[in-house]
Amino acid sequence: MTEPTRPSLDAHPAHPALSFRRPETADHARVVGVIPSWWALPGTASLGLLLPRLFLQHFADTSTIVEDADGELAGFLVGFRSSSQPGVAYIHFVGVRPDLRASGLARTLYERFFDAMRASGCRRVDAITGPGNVASQRFHRAMGFEPSGDTEIEGVLAWRDYDGPGEHRVAFTRPL
């Protein structure tokens, strides 16, 4: 089965050396392959299991792949509109190559997603992260997200067993 070629997205003036495009299923192995080294947190070896191929197959129209001038993966955002909550969008997985952190690329990915979801009628964006991922929590707060939870875990407000026994998460919500 041949995939349709996904069109390039508009370049971003803050990142002139990077190209933005919609993901293709063929990007799956490349994206999942960078997760352990890009996250470099304890227990992240299996984190790629949270991003099965179906996300790049069925949510490509709301997700983004970013490549550098050499075609190397620079970043990605996998997100979608909720089918059961029409006014809500969800950012499922985001990564930025370590040498590009603090370049504004993650902010650009989020803002592009916010603009697209706002244009599609969404009024809110949700996201989650682990209690131990302090950098992610800090980033989400800086982007205007508010955390929620039912208990304190590892010193932060989180939902106990959010994704199953022992799989605690910090949930974030941001109005658009």
Side-chain angles (χ1 to χ4, degrees):
M1 182 168 118
T2 305
E3 274 191 80
T5 301
R6 307 244 186 247
S8 292
L9 299 171
D10 293 337
H12 194 277
H15 310 285
L18 300 176
S19 61
F20 294 73
R21 65 174 174 82
R22 296 294 178 213
E24 299 174 1
T25 305
D27 291 312
H28 181 257
R30 198 161 68 133
V31 169
V32 171
V34 300
I35 290 172
S37 63
W38 284 15
W39 267 252
L41 292 170
T44 58
S46 63
L47 200 55
L49 296 174
L50 297 176
L51 190 58
R53 181 180 301 270
L54 72 89
F55 281 95
L56 301 185
Q57 291 171 315
H58 298 285
F59 302 112
D61 64 329
T62 53
S63 298
T64 304
I65 294 286
V66 183
E67 295 169 319
D68 65 19
D70 296 324
E72 296 297 319
L73 191 60
F76 62 90
L77 181 146
V78 177
F80 53 90
R81 292 177 297 275
S82 172
S83 64
S84 60
Q85 299 177 58
V88 179
Y90 183 78
I91 295 176
H92 180 66
F93 225 106
V94 180
V96 171
R97 197 170 68 206
D99 66 307
L100 294 172
R101 295 201 181 131
S103 70
L105 180 55
R107 176 176 289 279
T108 296
L109 284 164
Y110 272 64
E111 287 173 350
R112 289 173 78 123
F113 184 78
F114 295 160
D115 290 346
M117 294 303 98
R118 193 178 295 112
S120 74
C122 290
R123 296 178 307 281
R124 186 179 94 210
V125 176
D126 293 342
I128 63 168
T129 194
N133 196 339
V134 177
S136 175
Q137 293 166 37
R138 201 171 24 249
F139 174 78
H140 281 90
R141 284 188 186 97
M143 291 298 298
F145 285 85
E146 291 292 328
S148 69
D150 62 358
T151 191
E152 189 174 299
I153 299 171
E154 297 182 40
V156 298
L157 184 62
W159 293 96
R160 181 171 302 286
D161 301 328
Y162 184 94
D163 278 331
E167 298 297 326
H168 318 306
R169 301 289 183 262
V170 178
F172 290 97
T173 298
R174 181 192 190 277
L176 289 177

